[in-house]
Amino acid sequence: MQSCAPKRSVLEHPVLLFDGECGFCDGFVALVLARDHRAVFRFAALQSPIGRQLREEAGLSPDDDKSLVVIIAGRTFTRSAAVAEVLLRLN
C-alpha cells in the first residue's frame, strides 16, 4: 500500500481544498488560477485522497465535501474566511 503523505513542497504553500463536484467552486478555482501569477497556491479536491488526509490532519471531518478549505502555514480556514484569505494573497 502506497503512502498518501503530503509532499513537503505542497505544505510550504497555501493549499486550497475545493468541492470537485461544485460548479461555483470550480469557478472560484479558475479565478484564483487566473490571478495567482506567483503560483502561491496549491489545489486539491476535497474528495481526493490528499484532500481527505489534509482535512483529517486539520481536525476537520474527512466526509464533509461541501465546503471550501484553505490551509496556510498550519492554520485552517473554511467557507467565507477561506475565500477572504485567498483574496488577500492574490495580486
Side-chain angles (χ1 to χ4, degrees):
M1 187 168 158
Q2 189 174 16
S3 172
C4 190
K7 294 182 179 180
R8 182 177 171 91
S9 62
V10 170
L11 298 177
E12 291 173 354
H13 294 269
V15 179
L16 173 59
L17 304 174
F18 63 96
D19 182 350
E21 299 172 357
C22 168
F24 178 78
C25 295
D26 289 342
F28 184 68
V29 169
L31 177 134
V32 173
L33 283 169
R35 289 168 175 76
D36 187 15
H37 303 294
R38 295 175 292 140
V40 171
F41 290 94
R42 300 299 180 258
F43 303 87
L46 291 165
Q47 296 86 352
S48 70
I50 192 70
R52 292 178 59 83
Q53 180 181 345
L54 288 171
R55 283 185 290 149
E56 273 186 34
E57 289 174 4
L60 301 174
S61 170
D63 298 319
D64 181 11
D65 292 341
K66 302 301 179 204
S67 184
L68 187 66
V69 178
V70 177
I71 302 169
I72 302 171
R75 295 185 63 202
T76 303
F77 303 90
T78 59
R79 296 179 166 67
S80 60
V83 172
E85 290 295 327
V86 169
L87 295 177
L88 285 171
R89 286 165 175 77
L90 291 178
N91 295 338

